[in-house]
Amino acid sequence: FDAISHKAIEKLDAFNSQDIANTVWAYASVGHSSPELLDAISYAAMEKIDDFNSQAMSNTVWAYATLGHSSPELLDSVSYKAMENLDTFTSQAIANTVWAY
């Protein structure tokens, strides 16, 4: 996973919101934290937050919480964006998002 993390960091500029969400979800699902990658992804996610749909937002914050990786700036960005788009969230996305906080 560490080798993948380094390659992912190199390619983050090309990641879209779903790529970001899928990457952090995958790391969280297997329980492998990569602090350097998660820090880099949090900045990339904040830059692209307007492109995130409700599932990408909820999966991203769920992954950070699951891995115990603190990123208050990312959580703030997601919370503001989520409030603007709350009507697009499924009950599962709402539950996952709230759980992350």
Side-chain angles (χ1 to χ4, degrees):
F1 274 93
D2 293 331
I4 294 169
S5 296
H6 294 295
K7 287 294 181 186
I9 290 169
E10 292 173 9
K11 298 181 180 288
L12 273 179
D13 288 342
F15 279 32
N16 64 31
S17 59
Q18 185 172 354
D19 297 332
I20 290 169
N22 289 347
T23 300
V24 295
W25 177 88
Y27 276 78
S29 293
V30 298
H32 184 85
S33 184
S34 176
E36 185 180 356
L37 175 63
L38 293 171
D39 287 343
I41 284 180
S42 70
Y43 291 110
M46 287 185 289
E47 290 177 3
K48 299 176 182 185
I49 196 67
D50 288 335
D51 299 331
F52 277 66
N53 64 25
S54 59
Q55 184 176 1
M57 283 188 272
S58 79
N59 288 352
T60 299
V61 294
W62 173 87
Y64 276 77
T66 297
L67 290 169
H69 189 86
S70 179
S71 183
E73 297 90 356
L74 175 61
L75 291 176
D76 285 348
S77 292
V78 170
S79 68
Y80 293 123
K81 186 67 177 175
M83 291 307 295
E84 292 175 7
N85 298 293
L86 198 53
D87 60 329
T88 67
F89 278 67
T90 65
S91 58
Q92 183 67 55
I94 291 170
N96 287 349
T97 302
V98 170
W99 178 86
Y101 289 84

